[in-house]
């Protein structure tokens, strides 16, 4: 039975109380961070490390924090707690545990100390990885919704332009060289809007991309004609 493991199990709340004291006295970059939220899981995480130190077959540090329910960095994103605050909290925890060991004259082997530091390192690494991945997914989803909303809002003015072009086509006084570019511009806007909406819903396995062969000279001629009137 390791002394470090026993202390982490039996005195986790006391250690976290000391962590709380040091945290509130620390110079951290976000003064408005709700500290109580950061300490929620720290005591349990210390007990997890303590139980592993007590075990005859300790868990691999690289796998400890992949177990569901042991780590919740995604909640920190929802609580708007910056990841640097999370990392700082673990840094302070390491210092507190080291001071605890010295003050209580706990006999700790280099192997057990190395295990503790490695589990904290893996805890920080997994937190940062999952925090970043979750935040990226949030940004991607927000951007997707924003693009879809813009594309949807564009449909009404484009439909109005399309109707206007149809009405102008009935006027014999409108020159074709004026009307035709307008029709093509409206059609291009319709295609672009439809493409944006399809892109927002795009799933590689559902909507395969099919390359198409085009004649470059036709495309260039269309571009030149489109800009003929302004030129």
């Amino acid at each position: 039975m390791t002394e470090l493991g026993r202390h982490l199990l039996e005195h986790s709340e006391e250690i976290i109380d000391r962590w709380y004291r040091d945290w509130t006295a620390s110079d951290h970059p976000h003064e408005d961070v709700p500290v109580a939220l950061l300490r929620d899981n720290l005591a349990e995480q210390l007990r997890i490390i303590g139980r592993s130190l007590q075990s005859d077959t300790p868990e691999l540090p690289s796998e400890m924090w992949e177990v569901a329910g042991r780590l919740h960095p995604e909640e920190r994103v929802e609580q708007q707690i910056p990841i640097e605050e999370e990392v700082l909290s673990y840094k302070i925890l390491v210092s507190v545990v080291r001071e605890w060991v010295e003050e209580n004259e706990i006999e700790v082997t280099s192997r057990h100390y190395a295990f503790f530091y490695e589990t904290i390192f893996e805890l920080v690494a997994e937190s940062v990885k999952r925090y970043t991945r979750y935040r990226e997914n949030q940004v991607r989803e927000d951007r997707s919704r924003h693009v879809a909303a813009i594309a949807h809002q564009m449909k009404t003015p484009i439909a109005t332009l399309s109707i206007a072009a149809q009405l102008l086509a009935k006027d014999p006084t409108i020159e074709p060289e004026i009307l035709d570019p307008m029709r093509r511009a409206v059609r291009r806007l319709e295609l672009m809007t439809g493409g944006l909406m399809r892109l927002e819903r795009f799933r590689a396995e559902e909507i395969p991309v099919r390359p198409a062969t085009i004649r470059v000279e036709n495309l260039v001629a269309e571009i030149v004609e489109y800009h003929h009137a302004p030129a």
Side-chain angles (χ1 to χ4, degrees):
M1 187 174 189
T2 68
E3 279 294 294
L4 179 58
R6 182 176 67 82
H7 273 264
L8 294 181
L9 280 171
E10 296 179 359
H11 304 283
S12 59
E13 295 296 339
E14 298 171 58
I15 294 172
I16 296 305
D17 286 341
R18 180 174 295 195
W19 169 89
Y20 184 83
R21 181 201 66 192
D22 288 2
W23 168 264
T24 53
S26 68
D27 182 21
H28 45 93
H30 302 275
E31 297 294 337
D32 57 342
V33 169
V35 185
L37 293 175
L38 284 174
R39 65 177 290 174
D40 285 348
N41 296 325
L42 284 178
E44 178 56 29
Q45 289 165 348
L46 281 182
R47 287 191 287 269
I48 290 170
I49 298 172
R51 283 193 292 270
S52 193
L53 280 167
Q54 301 290 64
S55 173
D56 294 332
T57 55
E59 297 180 70
L60 291 175
S62 59
E63 298 176 356
M64 290 178 67
W65 312 113
E66 295 177 0
V67 178
R70 288 183 174 179
L71 188 62
H72 306 282
E74 296 85 359
E75 291 183 4
R76 302 298 183 242
V77 180
E78 299 295 339
Q79 295 160 352
Q80 298 188 357
I81 297 177
I83 188 60
E84 59 264 30
E85 295 288 0
E86 187 86 358
V87 172
L88 180 59
S89 71
Y90 291 123
K91 178 182 178 181
I92 292 175
L93 180 63
V94 169
S95 298
V96 168
V97 171
R98 184 174 61 245
E99 292 171 2
W100 180 273
V101 168
E102 293 173 355
E103 291 175 9
N104 291 275
E105 299 180 349
I106 302 171
E107 294 184 7
V108 183
T109 66
S110 59
R111 183 169 64 88
H112 293 150
Y113 239 146
F115 180 85
F116 172 76
Y117 282 121
E118 190 175 352
T119 57
I120 294 296
F121 173 83
E122 293 292 345
L123 178 56
V124 173
E126 186 69 14
S127 296
V128 172
K129 182 178 71 175
R130 285 174 49 183
Y131 186 105
T132 304
R133 185 169 58 221
Y134 187 76
R135 187 72 185 112
E136 285 177 349
N137 289 337
Q138 273 194 326
V139 171
R140 190 179 299 111
E141 290 173 4
D142 289 345
R143 182 175 57 195
S144 179
R145 285 193 293 268
H146 183 63
V147 170
I150 291 175
H152 186 74
Q153 291 174 17
M154 288 174 62
K155 291 178 66 177
T156 299
I158 291 173
T160 302
L161 289 173
S162 179
I163 293 172
Q166 294 174 25
L167 293 174
L168 287 173
K170 298 177 181 180
D171 188 340
T173 64
I174 302 296
E175 298 292 336
E177 58 267 23
I178 296 176
L179 185 59
D180 290 346
M182 181 180 178
R183 284 172 167 170
R184 284 193 293 272
V186 171
R187 178 57 182 160
R188 185 175 290 108
L189 284 172
E190 290 174 340
L191 292 173
M192 289 172 61
T193 303
L196 282 174
M197 298 188 74
R198 286 192 299 275
L199 181 63
E200 187 274 330
R201 298 189 299 269
F202 178 77
R203 299 293 182 275
E205 67 278 9
E206 299 172 1
I207 312 176
V209 176
R210 297 187 178 90
T213 301
I214 64 170
R215 296 184 63 85
V216 178
E217 61 269 27
N218 292 345
L219 178 62
V220 173
E222 183 179 341
I223 293 172
V224 171
E225 188 175 358
Y226 175 73
H227 292 282
H228 176 74

